[in-house]
Amino acid sequence: MKSYLALALAAVVSLTACDNKIEANDKNISLAVANYLDKKGELCLELTEWPLSISPSDMENKDVIPDALVPKMEALKALGLTAEAPGGNDPNDTNPYKPEVVVKRYVLTDAGKKIYREKEVTKYDYSNKTSKKVIEGDLCYGQKKLVKVINWTTPAKAGKWLFVNVTYAYKIDKVADWAKRPELSAAFPEIAENLAEAGKMEKKVLLKLNEQGWDEYDIGFD
């Protein structure tokens, strides 16, 4: 009878260990990487300030640099995602990063607004060690999804935290049709590069163990 009881207790302990969120096992590490990609794996054009103001130097570079700002806007305009608006002073343009002289502006069309995604992000002020949540948007065309975790390092302690460095493979889901258009390749070469890398390029992410389990390491003020 005692032997059966011991076996039962061992099984319970074993199951508890498998379900422990702090264990560096395949289930927990894969879940952490999948959550990380869900939060930060959206592929976007990194055009976050709208209306987008064009300066005199932007106009000078438009025929010199293929992926300069104006060619980018013109490529999106050809797809019906952006439209030109007058330059000069505009009291409705609250973009804090706009140039002193605005030659013209690009705004999102109704079609552009449909692919514009807003999400909450954390902005850090490292000099004052403060942070705040802000809403930031972008034009997005795909979402990275985990295919598999390839390997991870032995958990190592740094300060009060445990870390693992994870190598993984991913795919891209929900690729927008407009992002596949060849006329975008010169203005946005990173689109073709990102799509080509999916499934072929191994990536790494640093995970940190916290009270809830493993999560992507966000530098913050640790």
Side-chain angles (χ1 to χ4, degrees):
M1 179 65 101
K2 288 183 179 180
S3 61
Y4 285 116
L5 180 59
L7 287 171
L9 287 173
V12 170
V13 170
S14 177
L15 286 172
T16 303
C18 289
D19 290 337
N20 192 336
K21 293 181 179 179
I22 70 171
E23 290 289 328
N25 56 37
D26 187 64
K27 176 184 175 182
N28 291 337
I29 297 298
S30 296
L31 179 61
V33 177
N35 289 338
Y36 156 68
L37 291 178
D38 284 345
K39 290 188 293 185
K40 297 188 176 180
E42 195 166 29
L43 294 171
C44 305
L45 300 184
E46 298 184 8
L47 299 170
T48 60
E49 302 292 342
W50 297 91
L52 200 150
S53 303
I54 302 299
S55 70
S57 61
D58 291 328
M59 294 300 294
E60 291 173 5
N61 290 329
K62 71 182 181 69
D63 296 322
V64 179
I65 306 174
D67 60 346
L69 193 53
V70 175
K72 286 179 184 290
M73 292 301 101
E74 288 297 307
L76 294 175
K77 178 183 171 184
L79 297 179
L81 302 177
T82 63
E84 284 189 37
N89 294 323
D90 182 355
N92 295 318
D93 185 354
T94 58
N95 180 358
Y97 304 106
K98 65 183 177 184
E100 292 184 5
V101 178
V102 178
V103 178
K104 61 180 176 179
R105 292 177 174 85
Y106 286 89
V107 297
L108 293 174
T109 62
D110 289 342
K113 291 175 183 177
K114 289 180 180 178
I115 62 171
Y116 184 74
R117 300 284 182 267
E118 287 188 336
K119 58 185 174 181
E120 187 178 72
V121 298
T122 302
K123 295 288 188 180
Y124 293 103
D125 181 345
Y126 291 97
S127 59
N128 297 314
K129 289 195 172 182
T130 59
S131 64
K132 63 179 180 179
K133 301 284 188 181
V134 299
I135 300 298
E136 190 174 87
D138 207 337
L139 301 177
C140 301
Y141 59 90
Q143 175 70 49
K144 292 181 181 178
K145 290 289 184 181
L146 178 66
V147 172
K148 65 177 179 178
V149 167
I150 298 169
N151 57 56
W152 66 85
T153 58
T154 302
K157 190 172 184 180
K160 61 180 181 179
W161 305 109
L162 277 177
F163 296 90
V164 293
N165 203 353
V166 183
T167 303
Y168 65 92
Y170 68 95
K171 62 181 180 179
I172 299 176
D173 278 355
K174 302 176 182 177
V175 179
D177 289 337
W178 61 267
K180 303 173 186 176
R181 300 282 287 271
E183 56 263 48
L184 283 180
S185 59
F188 295 96
E190 67 274 14
I191 293 180
E193 292 170 5
N194 286 331
L195 296 180
E197 284 182 357
K200 301 175 183 177
M201 182 73 69
E202 295 179 359
K203 293 290 187 179
K204 292 183 181 292
V205 62
L206 185 63
L207 300 181
K208 180 180 81 172
L209 181 62
N210 57 36
E211 293 81 3
Q212 288 75 43
W214 294 96
D215 196 5
E216 181 229 358
Y217 176 51
D218 193 347
I219 295 175
F221 304 119
D222 288 351

